[in-house]
Amino acid sequence: MSRRPIIGITSYVEQARWGVWDFRASLIPYAYVEAVRAAGGRAVLLPPDSVDDDVLDAVDGLIVSGGVDVDPARYGAEPHPSTDAPQVDRDAGELLLIHGAFERDLPLLGVCRGAQLMAVARGGTLIQDLPLGVHREVLGVFNQHLVKPVGGLVARLLGDAEFKVNAHHHQAVDDPGALVVTARAEDGVVEAVEDPTKPFAVGVQWHPELLDDRRLFVALVEYSGSSIRDRG
């Protein structure tokens, strides 16, 4: 292969400060970029843009990152009092990219919110407020808990034994729609979803970019490299 696979990572739009500046910025925790680079890929940031999905023709794989809650209107629900104010532009742009990735068989990894959006894109719904405990207890601090793979790529890549992940979320996939659940937490909450009709379309509820285990990113980059070769 003549170049590293290019992995697009959807980004947050938040007020940010650096030096003497204070602006709205398109940003992402650098751990995503490091994880892609360590896996052999080249990361590029994709700000929200709902005009078209043409950028997918310029990347070899896609990561839909974590962030604020998905707008419940996207899955036909009324907002729970604890649900974040919607980021309409981000929801629209990321759903467009997810649909485009599915249509192109582009390797796709959803992280936390990204996994939830994958389910919504396939007709699923979300739990809007989980009780405090396993998945979030202290704001800004990741909980550690066990996940059990139940098949699919997750089991093939990570094994079928329980393993420990990090968590900080109060929402989760309820109905996965056309996706398949391939891992659950110790309390039964959905931890991974996949589209088994695609070469690599995996969403995980935890944050693998903050763990030492890089196997999901290595697999994403390897599948993305295969897509380069397939395109000639």
Side-chain angles (χ1 to χ4, degrees), residues 82-100:
S82 69
T83 298
D84 295 332
Q87 291 189 353
V88 176
D89 290 346
R90 186 175 179 191
D91 284 348
E94 290 184 341
L95 283 168
L96 186 66
L97 293 180
I98 289 171
H99 285 296

Side-chain angles (χ1 to χ4, degrees), residues 40-98:
R42 178 71 159 92
V44 296
L45 268 59
L46 304 178
D49 187 333
S50 59
V51 174
D52 56 52
D53 64 4
D54 290 358
V55 70
L56 296 178
D57 297 326
V59 300
D60 307 305
L62 175 67
I63 295 172
V64 180
S65 63
V68 301
D69 298 336
V70 179
D71 185 354
R74 292 285 179 179
Y75 49 95
E78 293 295 321
H80 186 276
S82 69
T83 298
D84 295 332
Q87 291 189 353
V88 176
D89 290 346
R90 186 175 179 191
D91 284 348
E94 290 184 341
L95 283 168
L96 186 66
L97 293 180
I98 289 171

Side-chain angles (χ1 to χ4, degrees), residues 191-213:
E191 286 288 333
V193 290
E194 300 178 24
D195 186 334
T197 70
K198 303 300 177 185
F200 188 99
V202 178
V204 297
Q205 186 59 67
W206 67 91
H207 281 267
E209 76 281 5
L210 296 173
L211 297 174
D212 292 334
D213 188 341

